[in-house]
Amino acid sequence: MKFQLLLGGFFSELKGRHWWIGILLWFVLLAPVQASVIMRVAIAREVKQVKVGASTTAIVKDSRGKTLGELPGMKPFPAQAVAGGIALDRWQSGLFWIEPTNKGYVYIGDRWFRGRILVVPTGNGLTAVNWVDLEEYLYSVIGGEMNSSWPEEALKAQAIAARTYALYERERQRRNPVYDLGDSPDRWQIYKGISSESPKTYNAADQTAGQILTYNNQIILSVFHACSGGHTENVEDVWSTREPYLRAVPDFDQNIKENIKECNWKKTFTPGEISARISGIGNVKDMIIENVSPFKSVKTLKIIGDKGTKILQGEEVRTALKINSTRFIVNKDANGSFILQGLGFGHGLGMSQWGAYELAKRGANHLQILGYYYRGVALTPIQAK
């Protein structure tokens, strides 16, 4: 059975009814089967050595699951890549499991995590993977991605978006025998371990436990960003794909009382600085915006040098220049430097976190927030497989 929630009533008060006709959030009410899902999060990838340990006595096992011995709690041990596998303390094996006793935490590198550790040889080094329950993973991710002092409804929207994104990546990485995702924001989600947990992140995860977003019964790519600069983007104007649920909508991040410096930014480049970031063009002579989206984000940027020309497209513009967003204008000063004046932080797709903050402050609940930024999606419980 399906029920639908028309969001027009709430949002018409904010932006006018014509923006909101037909904006629906579908709820799929199925048997409340709560699956236990384990996420494999790579914390240290392709390194020669990493420190590992646990807060309590930890059981050490080899690739066959055989117990090799114990590591004392609260003491780091170097795991090292060696010929034929991994060396850890007095043992050498093809891989190691490190499992804390009495619900202890594990230590990888310089941070504490829930769950257990798998250390495995990969490439020219080793990779340390945190195996952790999905809901406990979210305790950290919510606080890493969003300030835990923010309104409860914004945090709950973040919980569902982050849970959905994690499972989308897990499905996409099924051929990866080692991990589902990493811990950095450049490609995945911010995962700091227990340092970013708080009572409010526990509540946001627990109150939305097992809930994900789907479109036509498929888990969606529930990407999000800090702020859009007034309007989110259609996915095809940023990446070379098209998703019916990642559609451009007016945002609410430009009228927030808080001073959001990263969302209203300015960056000055000397020609030499641009040349250092864009290889093969020599000394930069000019930067020309050739094409923009309907909402003024740069889709094509031409950079002209004395040795060649480079065309940057879509998200490549932001990542190559290492700037906050692609919504900017270019001016040149008297010294020949290029001044980029911009709005927004991130790719501008899906949920705007500062927009979610503002909507929650105005009284929107987490379902209304999600239904606004991800169009025509269903809220679906995770199903056991």
Side-chain angles (χ1 to χ4, degrees), residues 5 19 23 28 37 39 141 143 148-149 181 185 191 208 240 244 266 275 297 319 351 358:
L5 175 64
W19 289 111
I23 297 175
V28 180
V37 178
M39 299 303 301
V141 170
S148 60
S149 68
L181 66 172
Y191 178 52
T208 64
S240 59
K266 182 178 180 181
S275 297
S297 290
T319 56
M351 185 178 73
E358 180 65 9

Side-chain angles (χ1 to χ4, degrees), residues 4-247:
Q4 60 181 334
L5 175 64
L6 181 63
L7 303 184
F10 174 81
F11 290 110
S12 63
E13 298 177 5
L14 300 180
K15 300 288 286 187
R17 291 183 182 278
H18 61 285
W19 289 111
W20 305 98
I21 296 174
I23 297 175
L24 304 175
L25 178 65
W26 292 86
F27 294 84
V28 180
L29 301 181
L30 301 173
V33 177
Q34 177 61 53
S36 178
V37 178
I38 298 298
M39 299 303 301
R40 304 174 303 162
V41 189
I43 306 301
R45 291 180 291 142
E46 304 294 347
V47 298
K48 296 297 184 182
Q49 176 179 303
V50 64
K51 290 181 179 180
V52 295
S55 61
T56 59
T57 299
I59 307 299
V60 179
K61 298 179 180 180
D62 64 12
S63 58
R64 296 171 295 174
K66 178 184 175 182
T67 297
L68 301 176
E70 297 180 348
L71 294 177
M74 302 305 295
K75 183 178 179 181
F77 292 84
Q80 297 177 306
V82 296
I86 308 291
L88 174 65
D89 195 40
R90 58 191 180 276
W91 307 291
Q92 183 171 328
S93 177
L95 59 80
F96 288 105
W97 288 100
I98 302 169
E99 303 177 352
T101 58
N102 300 318
K103 299 182 179 180
Y105 301 120
V106 293
Y107 183 82
I108 307 174
D110 59 357
R111 289 174 290 165
W112 292 98
F113 301 90
R114 296 174 181 269
R116 56 180 176 154
I117 305 171
L118 171 64
V119 185
V120 61
T122 53
N124 296 317
L126 61 83
T127 295
V129 184
N130 178 209
W131 282 48
V132 60
D133 180 84
L134 171 61
E135 300 302 325
E136 293 184 342
Y137 164 76
L138 290 172
Y139 289 162
S140 172
V141 170
I142 298 165
E145 288 288 351
M146 193 174 272
N147 190 318
S148 60
S149 68
W150 281 17
E152 178 182 5
E153 295 303 313
L155 293 171
K156 289 161 73 174
Q158 181 66 69
I160 294 174
R163 182 183 294 108
T164 304
Y165 181 82
L167 290 183
Y168 181 94
E169 284 294 300
R170 184 171 179 263
E171 288 292 319
R172 195 172 70 87
Q173 292 280 2
R174 278 195 176 276
R175 294 184 180 180
N176 187 328
V178 180
Y179 59 86
D180 301 314
L181 66 172
D183 63 346
S184 60
D186 54 340
R187 179 180 170 188
W188 296 289
Q189 305 184 112
I190 299 174
Y191 178 52
K192 299 179 179 179
I194 64 173
S195 65
S196 59
E197 296 181 5
S198 73
K200 290 191 71 174
T201 68
Y202 302 151
N203 179 70
D206 292 345
Q207 291 296 313
T208 64
Q211 298 175 8
I212 59 173
L213 300 174
T214 61
Y215 187 91
N216 286 343
N217 297 318
Q218 299 295 317
I219 299 174
I220 73 165
L221 175 58
S222 56
V223 288
F224 44 86
H225 58 281
C227 48
S228 69
H231 209 291
T232 69
E233 290 289 342
N234 292 314
V235 65
E236 63 270 18
D237 289 326
V238 181
W239 297 333
S240 59
T241 184
R242 181 180 177 88
E243 301 292 352
Y245 49 82
L246 292 178
R247 313 315 302 157

Side-chain angles (χ1 to χ4, degrees), residues 233 289 291-299 326-329:
E233 290 289 342
I289 296 174
N291 192 16
V292 297
S293 76
F295 311 105
K296 307 303 181 183
S297 290
V298 176
K299 292 180 63 176
T326 57
R327 185 164 295 157
F328 61 86
I329 58 173

Side-chain angles (χ1 to χ4, degrees), residues 7 23-25 366-377:
L7 303 184
I23 297 175
L24 304 175
L25 178 65
H366 65 287
L367 300 178
Q368 291 169 320
I369 293 169
L370 293 169
Y372 181 59
Y373 288 109
Y374 306 106
R375 310 303 286 271
V377 298

